[in-house]
Amino acid sequence: MGKEKERGEKKLFVGFLSNCVAELKILLTALLFLCIIATAVQFLPPRFTFSPSDLRQCLSAISSSSSNSSGKLASPVLPPPTDPPSPPPLAPPPPIQQQQKDQILEGGIIKRAFNPYGAAAYNFILMSAYRGGLNTFAVLGLASKPLHRFGHPTYQCEWVPNQSQEQQEMPQPTSTTAYKILPDWGYGRVYTVVVVNCTFPVAVGENGYGGQLLLHASTAGAGDRDLNVTDTIEALIEAPGSLNASLYESPAVPKYDYFYCGSSLYGDLSPERVREWIAYHVKFFGEKSHFVIHDAGGVHSGVLEVLKPWMEKGFVTLQDIREQERFDGYYHNQFLIVNDCLHRYRFMAKWMFFFDVDEYIYVPPKKTVKSVVDSLSEYSQFTIAQIPMSNKLCLSSDAGKAPRKWGFEKLVYRDVKRGIRRDRKYVVQPRNVFATGVHMSQNLEGKTTHKTENMIKYFHYHGTVAERHEPCRKMVNSTELTFDGRPYVLDTTLRDVAGSVKMFELKQIGSRLQRTH
């Protein structure tokens, strides 16, 4: 009796298993799938994580699938498969260029063939165009250096006026031959800087109806003597009513007395040094000054943080010029950038300064920047002599507290080696300048003077803005010394004004930059 009961229970269990085979398969498969997920999660990178809600959704989906399979009642979740959409038709391939073949001429001479493909550089890369008067414009850009170095490309300017409602016929365009300036002194690489001057024989657009300035850039057979390729470029669109003729007809007082045009900033710049530089020069130039900073990759988040307070107060304009890195010119195309700044702001400034962010303009105590420029007003340009400072030597008395001091406060040793030609920086009256350079302009109307040593100078802390570490490498306690083969003397000129600059920054923008590093 007991054996029959036991045999019956076994049959019941086997029958149960045979009836639930499908459900057991699904359950075991789900358990196996969960084990695989749990094992794989251990090898995922830290950024890949599963939240509890994700796991609950996964389990509920598996549970729902199991119940649907066991009940045989649920309809399929996914729609029946359909054929994928056919891909769009491919564009027809470009026609294969018909090659010239070598030829055998009379007398057995073999005439060889040459087949050109592609283009090595652009004919012209437009950056900007600005009106410089009622009949004159400046167009700025890059062009192929070999094209200008070995060829004779030409430029034509055309003004296409808009038609007013009162005019019955479309007004006729006006054309002129342009004059080109290459201001980068031959430093260009694949591309050179070109400033195209378009001066028409008569005033154009003076009626205020607006119009278009077209630039026709021709290779004139340079690069391929069989071809004269001409590109027509829409350089400028002047909207109706946008012309302010009084700006060019009368010597209006500019908005700013002093204007800074910066070169291209690039690399991992020090926010500390930029903070010190901008605070010093806003104080130096005063309320009627403005600074244009050009970001070629150097204005990272730390540098932007120290510029923002001065941007908010209206002292600084930041321009993103990183796109120019596509085109291989000299030194991040700085000649192009300073020329754009010159023409963009030439009617907004009385005097325009060109120098770098590791350089500090200085005038003696009994002078002011106003008294200096007023005494030089007969000149369209004057240059500024350099005072080279060590970027490594600091006073022993600053040991332990040097990181808390500003750069021009602790770097106090001046290089006095003689017989070295040192770079100068310069200042111009922008309305008299047609094109400019990095160290001076050679394209201007009026006089230039270099005899300014007793009136204005600049201190140069070479390379300090490009380094993020502490600049003090050697602490010394001497008024004179020789270091790395160069003689130095103690010079505390800018150290003595550091305190007043710090107080000025605190008064102007508060303590928001005190933790800059």
Side-chain angles (χ1 to χ4, degrees), residues 295-469:
D295 174 21
V299 182
H300 52 75
S301 58
V303 173
L304 180 60
E305 197 64 29
V306 302
L307 292 177
K308 274 184 177 179
W310 302 106
M311 293 168 65
E312 292 166 2
K313 292 184 71 69
F315 283 102
V316 173
T317 295
L318 178 62
Q319 295 186 11
D320 182 344
I321 58 163
R322 301 186 186 198
E323 186 71 9
Q324 54 76 32
E325 295 290 335
R326 292 171 51 196
F327 311 109
D328 187 10
Y330 174 75
Y331 218 72
H332 306 269
N333 289 305
Q334 65 171 334
F335 281 93
L336 174 63
I337 300 309
V338 294
N339 273 281
D340 175 80
C341 188
L342 166 71
H343 287 281
R344 187 180 185 91
Y345 299 105
R346 67 184 305 185
F347 294 100
M348 295 181 66
K350 188 180 297 183
W351 291 94
M352 195 169 276
F353 286 72
F354 296 85
F355 59 101
D356 293 328
V357 291
D358 58 359
E359 299 166 346
Y360 289 71
I361 306 296
Y362 173 79
V363 297
K366 293 185 179 181
K367 296 183 181 294
T368 65
V369 64
K370 183 180 187 306
S371 68
V372 170
V373 298
D374 285 350
S375 68
L376 296 170
S377 60
E378 64 180 293
Y379 298 98
S380 294
Q381 174 179 235
F382 65 86
T383 61
I384 309 174
Q386 178 186 159
I387 299 178
M389 301 295 289
S390 169
N391 56 10
K392 298 177 182 177
L393 300 175
C394 298
L395 285 171
S396 298
S397 58
D398 288 341
K401 51 188 177 181
R404 297 192 299 274
K405 292 186 175 295
W406 284 18
F408 64 84
E409 181 182 10
K410 56 192 172 187
L411 294 168
V412 291
Y413 284 91
R414 172 164 49 93
D415 183 346
V416 291
K417 187 171 183 177
R418 297 181 180 273
I420 298 178
R421 180 189 174 278
R422 303 191 188 276
D423 289 334
R424 301 174 75 95
K425 294 304 164 74
Y426 69 105
V427 186
V428 299
Q429 297 192 56
R431 296 191 184 200
N432 299 335
V433 182
F434 307 115
T436 196
V438 174
H439 296 289
M440 66 177 294
S441 170
Q442 292 182 320
N443 305 98
L444 72 161
E445 183 180 41
K447 299 185 297 181
T448 295
T449 182
H450 305 286
K451 297 178 181 180
T452 60
E453 285 82 357
N454 297 326
M455 293 183 282
I456 187 168
K457 300 177 182 179
Y458 75 92
F459 286 78
H460 187 196
Y461 300 85
H462 179 71
T464 53
V465 73
E467 298 179 348
R468 301 288 294 270
H469 57 71

Side-chain angles (χ1 to χ4, degrees), residues 143-157:
S144 167
K145 182 178 179 178
L147 186 68
H148 286 266
R149 176 68 178 82
F150 302 106
H152 301 281
T154 62
Y155 297 99
Q156 288 284 127
C157 300

